[in-house]
Amino acid sequence: MQPPLLNISNLTATYMEDGQHLVALENVNLQVQPGEFVCLIGPSGSGKSTLLDIVSGLFAEVEGTVEINGRALASAQRPGSTSYMRQRDLLMPWRTALENAALALEVHGHPRKESQRLAAARFAEFGLAGFEGKYPAQLSGGMRQRVAFLRTVLAERELLLLDEPFGALDALNRSNLQQWLVKLWEREQQGVVMVTHDVDEAVFLADRVIVLSARPGTVIHEERISLPRPRTRAMLTSDAFLAHRAVLLDALGLLEGDVA
Amino acid sequence: MNDRIARIIGPILLLLALLVGWEIAVRLTDTATWMLPAPSDVIRAFKDDWRLLLTHTRVTLSEVLIGFGIALAAGLITGIAIDSSRIIERALYPLLIASQTIPMVVLAPLFLIWFGYGLLPKVLVTALVAYFPLAVNTVDGLKSTDRELIRLMLAMGAKPGQIFRLAKVPSALPMIFGGARISVAFAVIGAVFGEYVGAKEGLGYLMDRSAAMFETPRVFACIFILAAMGVTLFALVSLLERIVLPWRRFTAGST
Ligand SMILES: Nc1ncnc2c1ncn2[C@@H]1O[C@H](COP(=O)(O)OP(=O)(O)OP(=O)(O)O)[C@@H](O)[C@H]1O
Ligand SMILES: [Mg+2]
């Protein structure tokens, strides 16, 4: 049996603010299998970003264990073992799209030229052909997001951590990128933990959706999504989709108001 | 392209108009040359004394360049040191501010006593004047690095050296260039001031001597050279900035 790609057990995380303890996550248990797409939803402040910060090794004051590929790693050992896309695109304004996409490879020790060659080879696939030499300020929001995405994917880590990658985009751009991501992932089969506010997005993309409670965040529901792959937009109106959606909205406590 | 030509021609036309107005005003009022020379008198001074002016320009220019070079190196080093550690910041920042509050009027004569009439005291005054904007802007520039970006790189497993080279330095460069532009202009003033206090050569010295002998056209010639020097150095730094930071054109809006 292959060990889970990510195994979080009994995780509790506390922020210190003005000498006060603020428990952000409490006793969280979570597993991600190799090649699995997991979406994380929960109210604002439930600790979703904190959870990704912990897995990527940015946040150390925690109890519990984090195992990646069966190895328990202390937080200082975790940086570099996952590929993290944070809520903002965080492109470097002084680097061209190509140079930005190549950043993670460079950080991981590939020579500059080779990193850029590897990045350039995938520009077309990410809908960015012809924009290699443009600076972020010259790109649209959707394109910037795709460059950030390419940078994340190129890091070639088995586990991708995505924090609301489409949060800042308008509905049309968002829907296009969702379809594009689902195709990309169905081909690559990397493990993904993706945070989102959007229940429809979670059901459309994920194999499994995990619901966190309001602060202190803890897992209150896990929903295995039964929709077949490859996913298509037509499924958005299917009965199975709507059933999953209703269960998740209920878990988030968002249904009560509507029922009456 | 038209816009560019307009930008260059505009100031030149204005300058010419001012010079012509000045010439006419001086001639009409019959002002004595030693009081206020007309531009034609100044041009004559350039023609007659060009060898002298050139010699002294060379001296001042080398003071400016050496002083600025020292200020640049010192500013970058202290800026990086202050950014790298809290302890160094606490120790160095007050000294940095203090270096600005000691008036040059006091320091320059002291340098004269300590180091004599040669190049060194002028270079020191120049460097001190030019140092502050460079050091402060280096610190601010490095500190302006997006903290989220640093965290992203940490998550990638970047080492401190990589974060410094790939994130902090590029973030700081626009502000460092901003500081350098102010600094070169200050450096020219610093060098002239150093020469005024006591020197045997340089444009500051030449102005002082010429004024004492009522050679006012030559004083004006010196002023023109100094202005041209300041503007040229400023433009050179701006040009270098455009070459080194091509991306600024897309984010900086107007400039
Ligand atoms: N650096 C910090 N210092 C102190 N408290 C913090 C810090 N970062 C987050 N918190 C707190 O921890 C809790 C969880 O924050 P987190 O950013 O993980 O939530 P989130 O689920 O990602 O929210 P959102 O959906 O709004 O992005 C919040 O209550 C927040 O105020
Ligand atoms: Mg968040």
Side-chain angles (χ1 to χ4, degrees), chain A residues 23-101:
Chain A
V23 182
L25 291 167
E26 193 161 46
N27 200 25
V28 170
N29 290 285
L30 180 92
Q31 291 193 345
V32 179
Q33 301 306 324
E36 190 183 21
F37 198 126
V38 172
C39 273
L40 204 57
I41 59 176
S44 188
S46 58
K48 304 180 295 293
S49 298
T50 304
L51 188 64
L52 297 194
D53 279 359
I54 291 168
V55 175
S56 66
L58 289 179
F59 183 97
E61 285 90 326
V62 294
E63 295 161 41
T65 56
V66 175
E67 288 173 21
I68 294 174
N69 267 326
R71 290 209 309 141
L73 295 177
S75 54
Q77 300 171 298
R78 292 200 288 273
S81 60
T82 60
S83 190
Y84 192 179
M85 179 166 168
R86 295 164 65 75
Q87 258 167 304
R88 284 169 45 211
D89 61 55
L90 297 174
L91 298 181
M92 296 172 161
W94 56 86
R95 286 190 159 218
T96 61
L98 182 63
E99 291 163 345
N100 265 295

Side-chain angles (χ1 to χ4, degrees), chain A residues 24-25 40-50 87 164 195-199 210-218 220 248-249 251-254:
Chain A
L25 291 167
L40 204 57
I41 59 176
S44 188
S46 58
K48 304 180 295 293
S49 298
T50 304
Q87 258 167 304
E164 300 197 42
V195 170
T196 174
H197 266 122
D198 180 345
V199 171
I210 289 169
V211 184
L212 289 185
S213 66
R215 203 181 73 214
T218 192
I220 49 171
L248 290 169
L249 286 173
L252 285 168
L254 293 175

Side-chain angles (χ1 to χ4, degrees), chain A residues 27 36 54 82 155 170 178 193 208 222-223 225 234 238 240 256:
Chain A
N27 200 25
E36 190 183 21
I54 291 168
T82 60
D170 60 86
Q178 282 167 4
V193 180
R208 201 149 48 89
E222 279 196 45
E223 181 84 351
I225 306 299
S238 70
E256 290 107 30

Side-chain angles (χ1 to χ4, degrees), chain B residues 90-110:
Chain B
R90 295 233 178 85
L92 267 184
Y93 225 120
L95 282 180
L96 208 160
I97 310 282
S99 79
Q100 269 323 277
T101 53
I102 305 168
M104 273 309 143
V105 195
V106 177
L107 265 188
L110 278 178

